Amino acid sequence: MNIKAILLSGLLLLVSPSVQAVEPPTHQAALPPPPAREFRGVWIATVTNIDWPSQPGLTTQQQQAELIALLDRAVKLNLNAVILQIRPACDSLYASPYEPWSEFLTGKMGKAPNPYYDPLEFAVEQAHKRGLELHAWFNPYRARHAQATSEISANHISKTHPEWVKQYGKYLWLDPGNKDVQNYTLNVMLDVVRRYDIDGVHIDDYYYPYPERDENQQVIDFPDDSSWENYVRSGGQLSRNDWRRENVNTLVERLYRAIKQEKPWVKFGISPFGIWRPGYPEQIGTFDGYDAFDPYDQIYADSLKWLTNGWLDYFSPQLYWKIEQTKLSYPVLLNWWIEHNSQGRHIWPGNYTSQITDDPDNSWPVSEILYQIRITRGFAGATGNIHFSMKPLMQNRQGISDALSGELYNQPAVIPASPWLPNIPPGQPLLKVDEDENSDEIQLSWTATGLPMVWLWVVQTRIGDRWMTQVLPGRQTSYRFKRRQSNQRVDSVAVSAVNRYKTIGIPAVVELSE
């Protein structure tokens, strides 16, 4: 076989059998189309063992095996990111210098895994090995979950700083209005950014707690009198509700700026309640005879402000309603958020995939989720989805996983780049092609050039006028394929580098001739 060398952007490709540089051809090689761009994420919830581990107190080997199975399923489905909950309630599923080990991991708060390992370190390594992004998911203020049963350990924040913690209904909650709490929460998250090779920091819809009611069914006000009075004494002029919102706003802005100062490629994402306020858009008001929940006034989350100020890299409103649900319609809400995305941040809505159950009377149909993904793709301002949660995908409820991998996710996709972040493209790789004459197979290998570091490789093969795409982890530098596929001959191969910001470099292309 005679293999030609192609010169693109001044870089000569090295080819074999002799692995000698040859003169470039006089014609321009056909360039491959860009790969599909889409964020395909899934939440892996650890609170109350929703997704992982399946129960507290499993052995290290069992925990690791379960996590690997989750990541392998993500790869099989052509997902490209997992969002792992590592701090459910001022506890940790990693080796934290600030907080105790989570009871949802080992069965007892403060008890480390035995044999010892660091679950987050393990998860990052295994995810990256598979070409998956791993985003660390934090609950910023919840200090103890209502379903927690373990004795509280001596190094839990409710013991070391009881003045920071408030009893609210069945929960313990950090006081967002306390300046020391704000600094502490920020330090906990930044510690993870500094020490682990994560790809994103993620917070969800818990800020001030969702309203609890007393025995008379009256809403309990959050007990932040002391921090409120300190604010007033210092000369603060905001109303109490505006002050509470500003406490959350301050944390969001500080966190975004601090992450970018530490590691600018680490994305910051928020998945708030799916509406900003009732009446926005106009049809979102009352439904079924009840007032709609108002996250702006009830959990003091001004999510629209975070989006319009660009204090995040991706915004994932939890659009947990059906398309046809008039008062809370998925496409209506998605369109409203897109229209208010003045900073051009990523819009990756959250989908309630867990509503697909084995109960035919109460389950959503699989088609609902599939249509929601299609609708997302139909909006120019939205470029991905996040599934809540991993469990229905692992269980393949009503065939949802088969439908995703066989239809909408049947080809791999690269996460969209973030134009507001550094976008220096990676170098064009140097290629080498070796033929295995005994098996009609071709060994393609490559070497990275230039900076920045390669995160993924896009490998494309052309048969006639059709290109096939594979997305490989950055640590992989070879790919073996058959020269003839479906009785047709592969004409060209191309390899492109993708960096941590998801910027794609110029492809190196090799034409294969008889």
Side-chain angles (χ1 to χ4, degrees):
M1 186 194 323
N2 176 30
I3 302 173
K4 298 180 180 179
I6 303 301
L7 187 68
L8 289 176
S9 296
L11 289 178
L12 185 64
L13 311 182
L14 300 182
V15 300
S16 89
S18 58
V19 198
Q20 298 292 321
V22 298
E23 291 298 320
T26 57
H27 66 281
Q28 175 68 49
L31 294 177
R37 291 282 201 162
E38 186 174 44
F39 189 86
R40 300 174 183 172
V42 62
W43 281 290
I44 299 178
T46 60
V47 65
T48 68
N49 302 99
I50 291 174
D51 292 306
W52 179 82
S54 60
Q55 63 185 55
L58 296 180
T59 66
T60 292
Q61 184 178 13
Q62 289 171 325
Q63 291 175 6
Q64 291 179 342
E66 285 189 354
L67 188 54
I68 286 174
L70 298 177
L71 299 177
D72 284 344
R73 177 57 59 92
V75 171
K76 184 177 180 181
L77 294 175
N78 274 328
L79 305 183
N80 48 32
V82 296
I83 301 171
L84 177 64
Q85 189 177 31
I86 65 167
R87 191 206 191 211
C90 289
D91 54 357
S92 66
L93 283 91
Y94 65 98
S96 172
Y98 293 95
E99 297 179 324
W101 288 99
S102 175
E103 69 175 89
F104 302 124
L105 183 71
T106 61
K108 180 180 179 181
M109 184 187 290
K111 180 182 177 182
N114 185 25
Y116 179 84
Y117 82 113
D118 186 328
L120 180 55
E121 182 179 53
F122 179 81
V124 168
E125 170 64 21
Q126 293 298 320
H128 289 181
K129 181 180 178 180
R130 290 162 172 77
L132 296 167
E133 281 199 348
L134 190 136
H135 297 211
W137 169 14
F138 299 83
N139 289 85
Y141 297 121
R142 187 169 61 202
R144 184 165 172 82
H145 195 274
Q147 296 183 36
T149 59
S150 172
E151 180 181 355
I152 297 177
S153 63
N155 62 334
H156 187 257
I157 197 67
S158 63
K159 300 289 189 180
T160 58
H161 284 284
E163 72 279 10
W164 295 356
V165 180
K166 306 298 179 181
Q167 180 81 42
Y168 185 74
K170 298 178 181 178
Y171 293 85
L172 293 182
W173 215 265
L174 293 176
D175 179 3
N178 186 309
K179 298 296 185 184
D180 291 330
V181 165
Q182 295 175 13
N183 293 332
Y184 172 77
T185 302
L186 188 68
N187 288 337
V188 167
M189 297 185 187
L190 291 179
D191 166 66
V192 172
V193 173
R194 295 183 184 112
R195 293 195 296 121
Y196 296 88
D197 191 22
I198 60 172
D199 303 286
V201 169
H202 186 92
I203 59 176
D204 55 15
D205 56 317
Y206 289 93
Y207 310 104
Y208 281 81
Y210 280 81
E212 294 272 322
R213 295 181 182 270
D214 61 21
E215 58 186 13
N216 298 317
Q217 295 304 303
Q218 298 300 307
V219 172
I220 303 170
D221 194 28
F222 186 74
D224 55 1
D225 288 347
S226 59
S227 54
W228 165 246
E229 290 166 1
N230 287 337
Y231 169 74
V232 172
R233 281 196 299 268
S234 71
Q237 299 296 312
L238 295 175
S239 69
R240 193 160 187 170
N241 283 2
D242 286 341
W243 166 74
R244 286 173 172 170
R245 274 185 289 275
E246 192 58 26
N247 292 331
V248 180
N249 294 340
T250 299
L251 179 74
V252 169
E253 182 181 12
R254 288 182 65 193
L255 182 56
Y256 180 68
R257 298 191 187 286
I259 291 169
K260 295 310 169 192
Q261 185 173 359
E262 292 289 339
K263 293 179 179 179
W265 62 87
V266 173
K267 290 185 281 291
F268 178 42
I270 304 180
S271 58
F273 192 81
I275 68 170
W276 175 55
R277 301 200 71 182
Y280 299 88
E282 185 176 354
Q283 72 189 68
I284 306 300
T286 60
F287 56 97
D288 295 333
Y290 296 94
D291 289 336
F293 176 72
D294 187 350
Y296 181 87
D297 257 348
Q298 292 177 269
I299 57 175
Y300 308 101
D302 191 354
S303 51
L304 180 60
K305 183 170 187 173
W306 313 333
L307 179 64
T308 56
N309 280 282
W311 294 340
L312 43 76
D313 296 302
Y314 67 93
F315 189 76
S316 302
Q318 297 174 23
L319 303 186
Y320 288 174
W321 304 282
K322 288 185 175 181
I323 296 167
E324 63 186 19
Q325 190 169 336
T326 306
K327 294 293 186 179
L328 291 166
S329 171
Y330 180 92
V332 171
L333 287 166
L334 177 57
N335 183 61
W336 188 87
W337 284 115
I338 291 171
E339 288 178 343
H340 290 82
N341 183 21
S342 57
Q343 297 292 326
R345 297 305 197 241
H346 298 301
I347 302 290
W348 299 330
N351 303 83
Y352 207 174
T353 309
S354 290
Q355 284 290 74
I356 299 172
T357 70
D358 295 324
D359 180 358
D361 295 328
N362 296 300
S363 174
W364 282 12
V366 168
S367 60
E368 176 69 32
I369 298 300
L370 301 183
Y371 285 140
Q372 288 186 2
I373 295 172
R374 290 189 176 100
I375 285 171
T376 305
R377 291 176 175 178
F379 283 105
T383 55
N385 296 85
I386 307 177
H387 297 271
F388 186 85
S389 64
M390 193 67 191
K391 182 172 287 186
L393 302 181
M394 292 300 293
Q395 296 174 346
N396 193 23
R397 292 180 189 168
Q398 297 193 35
I400 177 62
S401 296
D402 294 338
L404 288 172
S405 61
E407 297 180 44
L408 299 181
Y409 295 163
N410 62 344
Q411 295 295 320
V414 176
I415 292 172
S418 304
W420 56 92
L421 300 179
N423 59 0
I424 299 173
Q428 186 184 43
L430 294 172
L431 300 187
K432 184 179 77 170
V433 181
D434 287 302
E435 177 191 8
D436 186 338
E437 296 181 355
N438 296 322
S439 64
D440 193 37
E441 291 190 341
I442 291 176
Q443 176 78 15
L444 181 68
S445 57
W446 55 87
T447 304
T449 64
L451 294 173
M453 184 181 74
V454 175
W455 163 247
L456 296 171
W457 298 103
V458 177
V459 178
Q460 297 171 281
T461 55
R462 180 172 64 90
I463 297 176
D465 59 358
R466 182 168 58 94
W467 287 89
M468 301 297 293
T469 299
Q470 298 290 329
V471 179
L472 306 178
R475 63 185 67 184
Q476 182 174 339
T477 56
S478 64
Y479 179 70
R480 194 173 184 87
F481 62 95
K482 287 189 176 296
R483 176 66 191 271
R484 300 193 69 84
Q485 300 176 15
S486 301
N487 296 321
Q488 293 182 294
R489 184 174 56 83
V490 175
D491 303 308
S492 305
V493 294
V495 178
S496 309
V498 183
N499 64 22
R500 292 297 289 267
Y501 298 97
K502 306 305 174 290
T503 305
I504 297 182
I506 296 172
V509 185
V510 170
E511 286 189 348
L512 310 177
S513 59
E514 294 291 352

